[in-house]
Amino acid sequence: MQVKRFGVSLEENLLKKLDDLVQRHQFPNRSQAIRYLINNTIVEDKWKGNEDVAGAIVLVYDHHKRDLQNRSTDLQHDYHDLILSVQHVHLDHHNCLETIAVKGPANQLRNLADKLIAIKGIKHGQLVMSTP
Ligand code: NI
C-alpha cells in the first residue's frame, strides 16, 4: 500500500505524550504510534456502534469444578453462530486456559463474554476486542 506523508501540528505537551507512548510501546517511530492510535479508535467505534467485529474470549478456570464446564458448554452451544474456534490448553494439574475466537455483532459478542466470565469458578476472563 502506498504511504502518504502529511504534517501534524501538536502542542508541545501533547507531542511529549506521543513520544512517551512511542517509548512505552517500543514503537519504531511516531508514525507507528499514530497508526496504532487510529486503528484502536476505529476498533473502539465499531464495538460501540454494534458493527460486525471479531475478537477472542480468554478464560482461565479450574477444570475440577464440573458444573463450570457444563455451564460453559451450554452457553457456547447457545451462541454457536458467533464462535469460530475454541482452543483448550491444560496449564497445570488444576488450571485450564480456553481461548474462544468469536465473530459477529459486537453487542452479542459482549453478551456471550459477560455470561462466560460471570460463571461461578472462572478465575480470570477477558474479552479481547479486535476487528476483521
Ligand atoms: Ni484442561
Side-chain angles (χ1 to χ4, degrees):
M1 206 179 292
Q2 200 195 340
V3 175
K4 299 212 173 184
R5 296 180 67 90
F6 68 103
V8 179
S9 306
L10 282 181
E11 289 76 8
E12 208 179 322
N13 64 335
L14 210 51
L15 181 60
K16 166 91 170 62
K17 284 179 185 171
L18 180 64
D19 287 337
D20 288 348
L21 194 98
V22 169
Q23 246 193 342
R24 206 168 48 242
H25 289 260
Q26 299 183 34
F27 290 126
N29 49 46
R30 288 172 177 163
S31 293
Q32 191 59 25
I34 290 171
R35 275 185 207 107
Y36 165 83
L37 292 170
I38 292 170
N39 284 323
N40 261 8
T41 305
I42 288 170
V43 168
E44 211 173 285
D45 284 352
K46 282 187 174 179
W47 279 83
K48 276 187 192 151
N50 196 27
E51 290 183 39
D52 274 352
V53 287
I57 303 164
V58 180
L59 302 170
V60 174
Y61 59 87
D62 185 336
H63 74 97
H64 292 110
K65 302 190 174 178
R66 295 289 169 192
D67 285 354
L68 187 154
Q69 258 180 329
N70 284 339
R71 181 86 190 98
S72 173
T73 303
D74 284 349
L75 271 172
Q76 291 183 41
H77 278 273
D78 287 346
Y79 288 84
H80 69 273
D81 285 350
L82 305 175
I83 297 175
L84 301 172
S85 75
V86 182
Q87 185 194 48
H88 184 110
V89 178
H90 313 302
L91 288 178
D92 54 37
H93 183 69
H94 289 280
N95 293 302
C96 303
L97 170 74
E98 219 162 83
T99 310
I100 305 166
V102 288
K103 186 179 160 194
N107 288 353
Q108 286 182 39
L109 301 187
R110 260 211 198 88
N111 275 342
L112 171 60
D114 286 348
K115 285 179 183 172
L116 285 169
I117 293 165
I119 295 172
K120 200 177 163 204
I122 295 280
K123 290 183 174 177
H124 181 248
Q126 197 163 348
L127 171 64
V128 180
M129 297 182 213
S130 193
T131 182

